[in-house]
């Protein structure tokens, strides 16, 4: 029996062109810690190709849903990933769809300011 809910409709999302982060001793950033995880890097690689739910990403990287959800939360907090839509499972459960928040990340060292988004 077909579901009344859309399963995977197309997602319209355009990430920012570039995000610059300044690493400064006076204003530490946890961005580099977030990116130091192999799992976080794998998640970014999957989302580079197309938006997806936590379960889609977990399947693609071969990690548990709990592990991927933890890293997605951290990547969202660091503003590298953003929720862009909601899909519904065949059972009607809401699932958040995630996508990259930026196409390019530039890390600068020094005290020339804070995060800038273009």
């Amino acid at each position: 029996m077909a579901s009344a809910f859309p399963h995977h409709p197309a997602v319209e999302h355009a990430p920012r062109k570039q995000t610059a982060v300044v690493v400064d001793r006076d204003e530490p950033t946890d961005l580099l810690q977030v990116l130091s995880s192999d799992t976080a890097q794998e998640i970014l690689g999957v989302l580079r190709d197309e938006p997806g739910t936590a379960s889609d990403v977990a399947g693609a990287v071969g990690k548990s849903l709990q592990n991927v959800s933890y890293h997605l939360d951290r990547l969202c907090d660091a503003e590298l990933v953003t929720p862009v839509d909601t899909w519904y499972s065949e059972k009607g459960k809401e699932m958040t769809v995630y996508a990259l928040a930026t196409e390019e990340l530039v890390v600068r060292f020094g005290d020339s300011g804070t995060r800038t988004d273009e």
Side-chain angles (χ1 to χ4, degrees), residues 28-84:
T29 177
D30 66 344
L31 178 75
L32 297 179
Q33 269 189 317
V34 171
L35 289 174
S36 70
S37 163
D38 291 344
T39 301
Q41 293 174 37
E42 290 175 30
I43 290 169
L44 292 173
V46 168
L47 294 177
R48 180 191 64 221
D49 295 334
E50 65 182 339
T53 64
S55 58
D56 292 336
V57 174
V61 299
K63 306 286 183 189
S64 72
L65 180 59
Q66 293 81 5
N67 189 351
V68 168
S69 294
Y70 168 80
H71 288 285
L72 281 170
D73 287 344
R74 294 193 70 199
L75 289 164
C76 284
D77 289 345
E79 298 179 16
L80 296 175
V81 169
T82 188
V84 294

Side-chain angles (χ1 to χ4, degrees), residues 18-22 104-108 114-118:
Q18 183 182 82
T19 297
V21 176
V22 177
E104 187 175 299
L105 178 67
V106 177
V107 178
R108 296 185 183 134
T114 57
R115 170 181 238 139
T116 60
D117 298 327
E118 294 179 14

